[in-house]
Amino acid sequence: MFPRIFVCLTLATPALSWTSSHGHLRLTGGAARPLPADATVRAERSRQLMHNNGDVSYTISMVVGNQTIEAVPDTGSFDLLVFSSLCKFGCGNPKFLYNRTQSLNFEHGQNYQEHSFGSGKTMSYEAYDTVRAGNLWSKRQLFWEVYSADMPILIDLNFQAILGLGPPSSSIEIAVQDAREVKHELDSLPGATSLSAGQTRLATHYYEIADLAKKARSVAASFQLQSFSICLGRSVGSPGVIVWHDLQPEERPVNVFKTVPLKGGLFWSAQLENVALGALPSGQDDSKTSLGCSDVACTAVLDSGTSLIVAPQQAVAQVNEALTKWRALSGNCTDLSTLPHLEFEMGGSLFRLPPESYVGDLSGDVSKLDPDVRRFLLHLQSPNQTRLSALQGGRDHHSVFDACTPMLMVMDQDPSRPPQWILGMPFFREYYSTFSLGQAKLPWRRQAMSMSFAKAGPDCYPADSDVQMPDEALRQTRRMRIDISKLRVPRWALQEAKQKARHL
């Protein structure tokens, strides 16, 4: 039986209908003040701090109802998920969870939904409440109130929500795709001409979720976002910023920002070409190591919710080989400045990430990691090239990884499709990244238009010119030490990996 069908049949509920109306609030200082239902959100540029959680996730403070919570801004997802006090296990510290009884504006909906992330799964109810982020407000905002979660990451990380910032129109397309896939799976079952009551409810449920997506607004749509920017501090443990309603590409200095056209449409993605490890700075070897995307163009997804860079298996293997060669040339793990940069092109523009973007120290309790995520990490090897027993199901689930370990995740991919990379948090530490949405009569129909990037200067402002690389002492300080038990993988990548494994 197909995994999705199995999960949903066990949770199926009677078919339900839904209608809604929408309004907005705006922040004028102090407490929230209701405005007429047809009021609009002021498009004022504002800068909001992102709090660093062990260099594997970043959060902003949001207000849902009248309760302040920490939310992960995630350009790779589309919904607002809020972890609720209804969840009695697996959702983190109960005293920080959203409590519907403390809100005067809470409304419950009639649908439920399962969400799968790299760090686990959640079950949630359709719900509505007022939502605020920075100086932006939304009244009667749809969100998914999580009542059950299998996410060990929440035990150690301080966040109570995931704020999807993917293109608003994509949530509709994905919901419709899911409904069609479920129908196709049901039609493929033996005896599909006569579906059981549970199977009929399942198909109805997915079409109702698709109908809900068409009627409802994402937070990005409710905020009427035309652009926003994300930048993460370079130093270990440093915060980041998100800039709401940031300047559009045409308002930027030409010599500072590189504007990249979108490829695809569902995600913030671009065409990726000529990925390589550059020449060694020492001059001992001036040749580059190609990592692919030269003969066949690849796709790069910009995902602020993914902890590391995710690459095709062959590319990660080549990075391992390059590190072995570097060590043979007396590479010193205490000085990453002697390692090459990771170079690639997007939209015809060259981008370079320093060695600490793909090499560092990894540690952590692998037993806390969702089993589905471990397939993204099976390639990891210690400096002596011994495969990690913990990731292979060995007894040692508390392995500590040495320095100079490739800080990359690998994703099995469909060979019939162009190779895909995910540029996660390491990219946002080097580049101030602006995401622009196109105009549309209906805000929730806005599609991704372009992305613009500038080298990130001090305090996460766009730099006027290329930022000088840090000296050796600062670079040693910047070497990341990541707890792999807290890594985040995008939901869509996890679903693709599962789908491929299902067909093997």
Side-chain angles (χ1 to χ4, degrees), residues 8 39 48 88-89 92 217 244 251 278 297 309 334 352 359 363 401 437 440 483-484:
C8 294
Q48 187 173 4
K88 301 304 180 184
F89 178 78
R217 299 183 183 186
W244 304 108
E251 302 174 281
I309 294 173
T334 62
R352 302 175 77 237
V359 176
S363 63
F401 306 76
L437 291 159
D483 184 344
I484 65 169

Side-chain angles (χ1 to χ4, degrees), residues 1-2 5 184-196 199:
M1 182 174 285
F2 294 96
I5 293 178
H184 175 72
E185 290 175 0
L186 289 173
D187 290 343
S188 302
L189 292 174
T193 54
S194 178
L195 297 179
S196 68
Q199 291 169 338

Side-chain angles (χ1 to χ4, degrees), residues 222-288:
S222 295
F223 287 171
Q224 297 187 23
L225 285 179
Q226 295 184 20
S227 64
F228 64 93
S229 299
I230 293 177
C231 175
L232 306 179
R234 281 194 176 95
S235 301
V236 174
S238 61
V241 296
I242 184 166
V243 183
W244 304 108
H245 293 298
D246 206 356
L247 297 177
Q248 292 286 1
E250 58 269 19
E251 302 174 281
R252 298 289 195 182
V254 177
N255 62 333
V256 174
F257 277 80
K258 304 171 182 178
T259 296
V260 175
L262 277 262
K263 179 180 181 180
L266 291 180
F267 300 97
W268 294 106
S269 55
Q271 184 166 300
L272 181 70
E273 298 177 296
N274 300 321
V275 184
L277 291 179
L280 292 177
S282 63
Q284 292 175 290
D285 187 347
D286 59 0
S287 62
K288 293 185 178 183

Side-chain angles (χ1 to χ4, degrees), residues 122-425:
T122 65
M123 289 299 301
S124 52
Y125 297 123
E126 172 194 348
Y128 301 85
D129 209 333
T130 55
V131 171
R132 187 189 86 190
N135 67 347
L136 302 174
W137 286 84
S138 175
K139 180 182 179 181
R140 201 173 186 272
Q141 174 62 51
L142 166 68
F143 69 96
W144 294 98
E145 184 187 19
V146 177
Y147 64 85
S148 176
D150 180 16
M151 296 181 72
I153 188 175
L154 292 171
I155 297 174
D156 298 318
L157 288 184
N158 183 30
F159 67 85
Q160 297 83 44
I162 299 172
L163 172 59
L165 292 174
S169 63
S170 297
S171 60
I172 301 173
E173 295 181 48
I174 290 175
V176 171
Q177 286 180 8
D178 285 346
R180 289 172 178 169
E181 287 178 8
V182 168
K183 183 179 184 303
H184 175 72
E185 290 175 0
L186 289 173
D187 290 343
S188 302
L189 292 174
T193 54
S194 178
L195 297 179
S196 68
Q199 291 169 338
T200 301
R201 288 198 302 267
L202 172 63
T204 302
H205 166 73
Y206 271 90
Y207 275 102
E208 286 181 343
I209 294 297
D211 188 53
L212 176 61
K214 294 175 183 178
K215 296 176 181 178
R217 299 183 183 186
S218 67
V219 174
S222 295
F223 287 171
Q224 297 187 23
L225 285 179
Q226 295 184 20
S227 64
F228 64 93
S229 299
I230 293 177
C231 175
L232 306 179
R234 281 194 176 95
S235 301
V236 174
S238 61
V241 296
I242 184 166
V243 183
W244 304 108
H245 293 298
D246 206 356
L247 297 177
Q248 292 286 1
E250 58 269 19
E251 302 174 281
R252 298 289 195 182
V254 177
N255 62 333
V256 174
F257 277 80
K258 304 171 182 178
T259 296
V260 175
L262 277 262
K263 179 180 181 180
L266 291 180
F267 300 97
W268 294 106
S269 55
Q271 184 166 300
L272 181 70
E273 298 177 296
N274 300 321
V275 184
L277 291 179
L280 292 177
S282 63
Q284 292 175 290
D285 187 347
D286 59 0
S287 62
K288 293 185 178 183
T289 302
S290 173
L291 302 180
C293 308
S294 16
D295 297 330
V296 177
C298 303
T299 300
V301 177
L302 280 293
D303 192 334
S304 63
T306 297
S307 303
L308 303 178
I309 294 173
V310 184
Q313 188 170 6
Q314 183 178 358
V316 175
Q318 289 172 303
V319 171
N320 268 327
E321 292 178 8
L323 287 177
T324 302
K325 182 177 179 180
W326 173 71
R327 294 187 192 99
L329 294 172
S330 302
N332 186 348
C333 290
T334 62
D335 180 13
L336 298 185
S337 65
T338 61
L339 275 167
H341 281 58
L342 177 62
E343 302 177 352
F344 51 88
E345 295 176 14
M346 288 193 297
S349 297
L350 177 65
F351 294 84
R352 302 175 77 237
L353 299 182
E356 53 267 30
S357 297
Y358 67 92
V359 176
D361 303 347
L362 296 178
S363 63
D365 183 354
V366 183
S367 65
K368 293 182 178 180
L369 198 62
D370 186 279
D372 290 326
V373 183
R374 297 183 191 180
R375 61 168 58 96
F376 286 81
L377 298 169
L378 287 175
H379 67 286
L380 288 178
Q381 297 179 349
S382 62
N384 63 4
Q385 304 299 300
T386 301
R387 191 171 295 276
L388 297 169
S389 60
L391 291 177
Q392 293 284 45
R395 297 180 179 178
D396 181 12
H397 288 291
H398 301 271
S399 296
V400 175
F401 306 76
D402 295 332
C404 297
T405 299
M407 288 207 306
L408 299 169
M409 292 187 283
V410 64
M411 179 171 63
D412 289 334
Q413 306 192 20
D414 185 345
S416 65
R417 298 168 57 185
Q420 196 166 59
W421 290 63
I422 303 173
L423 302 180
M425 295 173 193

Side-chain angles (χ1 to χ4, degrees), residues 18-32:
W18 173 86
T19 59
S20 72
S21 60
H22 297 277
H24 299 279
L25 296 175
R26 79 177 184 185
L27 178 63
T28 57

